[in-house]
Each structure stands twice: as structure tokens, then as C-alpha cells.
Amino acid sequence: MGGWVVGAGRESVRRGLGVPLRLGRRWVQGVGNLLLGGVLVDYASWRWIFVLGSLLVVAAGVLTWVFVPPDRPGAPGRSDLAGALVLTVGLVALLLGITEGPARGWSSAGVLGLFGLAVAALLGFVAVERRAADPLIDMGLLGSRPLLVAHLGALALGGNQFICYVLVPRLAELPRATDSGFEPGPAGFGLSVTGAALVLLPGTLLTLPASWLAAPLERRLGTRTPLVAGLGLAAGGGALLAVWHGEIAQVVLCYLVCSVGYGFAMAALPRLVNQASPVEHSGSANGVNTVARVLGGALGSQLGAAVVAGGGGFGATFWLAAVVAAVGGGLALFVGPAR
């Protein structure tokens, strides 16, 4: 579904407006989620987050139905509903298996069944797309070297982002050593959910201004440079967090470094995808890129939680975030084309 929405905005991207609009929407969404989510959990109930989210989805669906035209005049092809359905089943099963694995056990029948369903559905999706007259995703594009680099970069970005996004609030909300009364586990800052959100807020606010530097960097040094620089900064921020997370100010500063990298990388990815894909396939290519980032986030958050729960501690998990981003940046640097 994300690919179709992005496809409708392709003309804006060609005019130079699409990427800033998408980043601005994510920026507003991120800031709003942090502040509103913390207030709801602290002063109402966490259940209200899902109630409000559902209402927003319904409102967006109604507005889309009313104001977005069903198709552009003369646009060829039809919607690939069969492919969308099979892909949805595969991705939901995969993400649900990753989410339930730590709690139910990776070798449990339910989790293995979800992974089996995911494999079967994704293989079925490939078969459906190869036969479709108007496929949701052109399978030939997945082998394109520039697109492969963009998708791997999105996977690494999502992994680093969500490890930090899960661990920083968890560290902030853990009791202080003097408050907990015992020490075998790691000590935190003893903040509320809203307080933990405020630790992330300065970095979140910096992401959008940082993204504005991606375009001039691209013009001077090539299309892959903002992605490489962004993942490099995310790796550097993760490494700083691994060795420097004993005080709130330290965590805020280290997360600022990560956030500058996120701004660079998130601005670079849609540009890389749009330049490497034909106009008629740019929507589905951007959709795949978004799915890669979400998948990386799911894997990263679960791996991070598993490392902390297994006694690895926050330092080891932040190092994991740094390595994930560094590997993605290295692939973009040494595998991707210069221009």
C-alpha cells in the first residue's frame, strides 16, 4: 500500500517537493508521537495510544476516499490486488514471528509456523508477480545494483534507528541504582514515559534540519554520499552511546549525532530509489524501500531487546546498533555506484 501512495506523489518528487514533504510529515509525526504518547501513558492509559491511532487511520482513509482521485486520466494498468494480499500475509507473518520470538521461544511451534507461512507467502508473491500483467513490484528491479544498495541501506538504517529508539527510553525509565534497592541489573535515570520521550526529543527535532544538507552534499559528492555519511554518523552515534551513557546529558548528545545521520539517510533513500527506477515503477520501488526499513526496525528492536535481556547490557547493544549502521554504510560505499 505504501508503494501506491508514494507513486501518486511521484510528480512532486520530480519537482523537488516530494522528499521534503515526506520528511516533514515524518518529522511532525515523530515529534507528536513522542510528546502525545508519553502524556497518554503517564496520565491516561497506554490503550489510548491504539485508540487514537485507529481513529487517525480511519480519518486518513475517509479523506483519501473523498479527495484523492481514483486514478490519473489515461493511466495504464490495474491495481495488483492479489499481489498486495499475498505480500501483506507474508510481511505480517514475518514481523509477527520476529515480535513473538523472544517471548514464546524461537523454536516454538507458533513462531516456526509464522516463519513458515511468511516464507510460503513471499515465495507465492514472487510467483504471482511474475505472472501479473501489472505487478505491484517488478521483480526485475530487485536485482538492480543501485536499488539493492538503497534497500540494504534502508534495512541497516531501520535496524540502527529502532535499537536506539527502544533502548534509550528503556534506559531512561529504569530505576536509579539508589532507588532500586538492589543492583544486579543496569541502573537507569528513573524517568517517566514522558521524561524518556523528552530525552529523544532534541534529536528528533534535529532530524529535519539535518536532512536539508543532503541535497547540496549530493550535488557536490554524488548520490550515494548522503546515505554513506548518514549511516556513518548513525554508527558513530551508536558507538558513542555504547561508551557514554551514564548521564542524561550524555545520552541526549549522543542521540543528536545519530539523528543527524538519520536526517541525511532518510533524505538520500527516496532520491536514490527514484533515480534508479523507471517513473512507472518508482512507487513500488519506494514501497519496497519502506518495507526494508520497517523490517530492519523490527529485527533491530528485537535483537536489541534480546541482547539486553540476555545480560549483554546497554553497552553491547549500542555497539550492535553501531555495527549494523557501519555495515550498511560500507555496502553503500563499496558496492554502490559513484553517481
Side-chain angles (χ1 to χ4, degrees), residues 82-94:
L85 177 62
V86 177
L87 179 61
T88 299
V89 170
L91 292 176
V92 168
L94 178 60

Side-chain angles (χ1 to χ4, degrees), residues 67-82:
F67 293 107
V68 177
D71 208 342
R72 294 188 301 271
R78 300 171 58 186
S79 298
D80 181 15
L81 297 179

Side-chain angles (χ1 to χ4, degrees), residues 230-337:
L231 290 171
L233 285 168
L240 288 173
L241 280 168
V243 299
W244 205 37
H245 57 265
E247 300 291 338
I248 294 176
Q250 295 173 349
V251 174
V252 170
L253 290 174
C254 294
Y255 191 69
L256 284 173
V257 177
C258 292
S259 296
V260 174
Y262 299 157
F264 278 18
M266 287 193 293
L269 285 171
R271 287 190 175 95
L272 286 170
V273 171
N274 289 328
Q275 290 175 9
S277 57
V279 173
E280 63 272 18
H281 293 297
S282 62
S284 60
N286 274 282
V288 171
N289 196 254
T290 300
V291 169
R293 181 169 166 262
V294 172
L295 182 59
L299 289 169
S301 60
Q302 294 304 323
L303 283 173
V307 171
V308 172
F314 287 97
T317 315
F318 285 130
W319 277 119
L320 175 63
V323 169
V324 168
V327 170
L331 288 173
L333 180 63
F334 295 109
V335 177

